[in-house]
Amino acid sequence: MGKFIVFEGTDGSGKSTQIASLAKKLTDNGEKVYITAEPTVSLSGGILRDALAGITQKSPSELAVLFAWDRINHNVNKYDGIEKLLSEGYTVLCDRYYYSSLAYQGKDAGYEWVKSLNIGCKDIRKPDLCFFLDVSPKVSMERINSGRQTKEIYEKEDQLTQIRQTFYKVIDDLNDNIVIINAEEDMISVSNKIYEEYQKAFKNTVL
Ligand code: TYD
């Protein structure tokens, strides 16, 4: 059985760069690695991306259900689902997961309801490890502004501040294996820290 690793963080925290970097280290080490993300590239993911871009309007509750639907499909689909990949021995690295639903939809759709939708669902697997890449909202905004032309609905500084606070609450509330990484340092230092924590977490596992 492979390992299921999730990367979380506010927008602009450098998740995709760090996922690519860990994937390279693990692949060099002989592990089979699969990179995936939420929202996914399936039908449900497309509906979500339109809503995130502001092309369609969805209520917070609708978003919470759509994200849960997308996540269930992400777990169980027979083509490239997380369960299938893990059973084939892949280490699955996932950009965002249910922690994002709790942090982003929890506030407006009701934290406990969003939690039960996700943690209470038998088809939504608990990750073996989650890295929370932590950056201040100011640095998030600087990175978002320098890197991209278009902004998604959550990419405003006051919203990022709130979402970061909710992430801290989620980390406290859940019994998950979550490591907070200071992601304001340079990319190489952050990457080394993540690899160190990864090795620590699985030191008793034969790689
Ligand atoms: P993503 O494409 O990962 O954007 P970024 O590269 O900026 O991290 O995520 C898109 C947006 O989706 C992001 O603003 C967070 C939001 N999101 C939720 O609101 N709830 C969720 O459950 C997930 C997975 C993402």
Side-chain angles (χ1 to χ4, degrees):
M1 202 67 182
K3 301 178 219 64
F4 180 33
I5 320 290
V6 168
F7 283 71
E8 289 281 0
T10 44
D11 304 73
S13 57
K15 288 181 280 87
S16 35
T17 309
Q18 292 304 333
I19 289 174
S21 172
L22 180 62
K24 166 122 186 29
K25 288 189 168 92
L26 299 182
T27 310
D28 288 349
N29 214 16
E31 282 194 55
K32 291 204 295 184
V33 177
Y34 192 95
I35 298 178
T36 186
E38 293 187 2
T40 68
V41 290
S42 71
L43 172 67
S44 41
I47 295 171
L48 279 162
R49 265 189 302 279
D50 280 352
L52 290 167
I55 295 167
T56 57
Q57 265 69 51
K58 296 274 184 281
S59 74
S61 310
E62 285 178 294
L63 285 175
V65 170
L66 285 168
F67 273 115
W69 170 32
D70 193 42
R71 189 159 299 126
I72 292 170
N73 179 264
H74 197 194
N75 272 266
V76 303
N77 90 72
K78 298 281 177 258
Y79 173 65
D80 59 356
I82 294 166
E83 295 296 338
K84 174 178 182 277
L85 292 163
L86 293 175
S87 72
E88 290 171 356
Y90 280 93
T91 293
V92 177
L93 305 182
C94 184
D95 188 339
R96 296 195 184 278
Y97 199 58
Y98 56 57
Y99 311 96
S100 281
S101 283
L102 295 176
Y104 287 78
Q105 281 71 55
K107 186 173 78 61
D108 296 324
Y111 182 85
E112 289 304 325
W113 178 66
V114 178
K115 184 176 168 183
S116 68
L117 206 54
N118 284 275
I119 311 293
C121 176
K122 72 168 183 47
D123 286 329
I124 296 182
R125 166 180 282 269
K126 177 173 168 162
D128 296 302
L129 177 63
C130 169
F131 290 110
F132 175 65
L133 305 193
D134 193 25
V135 289
S136 66
K138 194 166 164 289
V139 171
S140 277
M141 282 312 294
E142 279 165 15
R143 290 183 183 174
I144 290 166
N145 287 333
S146 68
R148 281 186 250 143
Q149 297 298 313
T150 55
K151 289 198 190 61
E152 290 181 334
I153 54 174
Y154 294 115
E155 295 179 344
K156 302 194 185 85
E157 190 164 341
D158 54 338
Q159 265 169 319
L160 291 177
T161 306
Q162 269 190 4
I163 291 162
R164 185 189 195 201
Q165 292 310 322
T166 320
F167 263 124
Y168 289 145
K169 183 180 151 197
V170 172
I171 292 168
D172 265 359
D173 182 46
L174 298 185
N175 248 337
D176 286 18
N177 189 11
I178 305 171
V179 178
I180 301 177
I181 300 282
N182 175 359
E184 288 195 4
E185 289 173 28
D186 65 283
M187 187 251 151
I188 307 274
S189 312
V190 175
S191 161
N192 290 340
K193 181 77 187 147
I194 287 172
Y195 191 49
E196 201 179 289
E197 292 291 342
Y198 176 89
Q199 288 176 307
K200 217 190 280 174
F202 299 109
K203 63 176 180 296
N204 296 324
T205 314
V206 182
L207 296 178

